Amino acid sequence: MGTTVRTIDWDEGDAATGPAVAVIDQRALPGTFRVRRLATVDALVDAVADLTVRGAPALGAAGALGVALAVRRHPDDADRVRAEAERVAAVRPTAVNLRRGVERALARLDDGPGAVVAEACALLDEDEATNRRLGHRTADLVTQLCGDRPLRLLTHCNSGALAAVTWGTGLGAIRELAARGQVAEVLACETRPLLQGARLTVWELAQMGVAHRLLVDAAAASAMARGLVDAVVVGADRIAANGDTANKIGTYALACAAAHHGIPVLVVAPESTVDHTTASGAGIVVEERAPDEVRAVAGVPVAPPDTPVYNPAFDVTPAALLAAVVTESATFRHGAWARAALPA
């Protein structure tokens, strides 16, 4: 993962099959590695909704490729394409990248189907370079904050190659630190209720050959108290203009515990995840998901079937609790954004 296998890609197909979006089925991991071929917008919408494909950058790609699918199936009906595009954009309201991907591909609609497909594929091609730069900048900042030594890092949910087209954001930064010899161990929170940390992050860390341990979400504060964590590194699904950050539910609690113990929390995400039109986290719409995700684990009931459930997919962490928000081109620290120098 990271350089040869894309989490999501365009499959041009042939006369018999037609075009499709190819995605790694993240529901099947770690038990089975399989790639699904999504040949309709309906199939793509369902795949985004049921988390077959997930993660902010990957959802941005899904948005753009959804428009590509629509325009290839309805090349002479721009209104139909726009309607299908809106269906894709609206599936998961918190993830700003999804709508950004849709809007980017739709901007080429007047130039014809080929231009739309080319724009969507360009987004795919940019992903690894963006995330590598992002990881390099974050690794430099982690070193500045924690020292040039092997570090014990804690992460939550999955922000690796599976959350992007390739390479990853938060876990991509950890990948960069590991390449520099600066990772002693990664503690990966299991991430209830859908266990993205246990199923996906641990799988990626094993693929990377990075030392790691899995812990239940409720053990993270205890690990900090015992001195087992030097820094917390996570991704994001939407970042407000003031640095408030929406990420997988449980991130806010981690940031509160980390603040108590003086541990820096770094949020790592591409610039496309920053929503400068949303002033603060108060304006971020938080998706609430189906109650059966909590009432069951892997399809096995763990609560009475009629139990009322509160199941937000994300929470919002105030910028004041974060050491930094890092993108490939800017860093939010001390209450303000600072642009990064571009590479020569």
Side-chain angles (χ1 to χ4, degrees):
M1 295 296 298
T3 55
T4 59
V5 179
R6 283 181 165 182
T7 297
I8 181 168
D9 208 351
W10 179 251
D11 179 356
E12 187 61 36
D14 54 33
T17 62
V21 178
V23 300
I24 296 173
D25 188 346
Q26 299 192 39
R27 301 170 309 164
L29 290 168
T32 303
F33 181 94
R34 67 177 177 229
V35 176
R36 289 185 56 197
R37 198 171 186 275
L38 310 173
T40 66
V41 172
D42 284 345
L44 180 65
V45 166
D46 289 345
V48 170
D50 70 15
L51 307 186
T52 294
V53 58
R54 46 145 298 281
L59 289 176
L65 293 174
V67 180
L69 267 183
V71 78
R72 288 294 299 275
R73 291 193 168 272
H74 311 288
D76 301 316
D77 191 344
D79 288 342
R80 177 70 180 273
V81 172
R82 290 189 179 93
E84 295 280 66
E86 179 56 31
R87 289 179 58 216
V88 174
V91 183
R92 302 198 68 195
T94 306
V96 67
N97 296 68
L98 182 60
R99 185 169 290 278
R100 290 264 172 87
V102 166
E103 291 171 348
R104 176 170 168 176
L106 268 183
R108 299 297 306 278
L109 185 58
D110 291 343
D111 299 323
V116 172
V117 174
E119 191 67 28
C121 290
L123 186 153
L124 300 176
D125 293 340
E126 293 165 11
D127 182 79
E128 183 172 347
T130 295
N131 289 338
R132 281 180 178 270
R133 176 166 167 75
L134 176 60
H136 184 90
R137 298 191 65 243
T138 305
D140 286 349
L141 182 54
V142 171
T143 301
Q144 176 186 329
L145 293 172
C146 301
D148 186 359
R149 59 188 175 87
L151 300 169
R152 298 157 302 177
L153 305 172
L154 185 143
T155 192
H156 187 64
C157 195
N158 173 262
S159 56
L162 290 168
V165 177
T166 187
W167 195 258
T169 57
L171 203 59
I174 291 174
R175 183 193 298 266
E176 171 66 22
L177 285 163
R180 299 180 184 187
Q182 290 179 243
V183 176
E185 180 183 52
V186 177
L187 291 177
C189 293
E190 62 174 353
T191 324
R192 277 283 289 149
L194 297 179
L195 303 176
Q196 293 96 328
R199 296 186 302 103
L200 306 177
T201 296
V202 168
W203 183 79
E204 286 202 56
L205 288 166
Q207 296 283 314
M208 291 158 54
V210 173
H212 60 276
R213 283 188 286 174
L214 176 67
L215 73 164
V216 299
D217 296 350
S222 173
M224 294 178 192
R226 294 182 59 193
L228 301 179
V229 180
D230 295 310
V232 177
V233 182
V234 298
D237 287 82
R238 187 183 294 252
I239 300 165
N242 73 336
D244 292 350
T245 301
N247 191 48
K248 183 55 59 184
I249 189 71
T251 305
Y252 178 35
L254 288 177
C256 290
H260 177 75
H261 293 288
I263 296 169
V265 179
L266 292 94
V267 172
V268 187
E271 189 75 20
S272 57
T273 305
V274 182
D275 181 8
H276 289 286
T277 67
T278 298
S280 73
I284 297 176
V285 176
V286 174
E287 172 190 0
E288 186 160 352
R289 293 185 60 82
D292 280 344
E293 290 181 351
V294 177
R295 292 192 294 234
V297 176
V300 178
V302 294
D306 58 349
T307 302
V309 169
Y310 173 56
N311 185 21
F314 308 98
D315 54 25
V316 176
T317 301
L321 295 177
L322 303 174
V325 177
V326 186
T327 78
E328 73 276 16
S329 57
T331 302
F332 186 94
R333 295 189 73 191
H334 312 302
W337 289 97
R339 306 303 296 180
L342 294 175

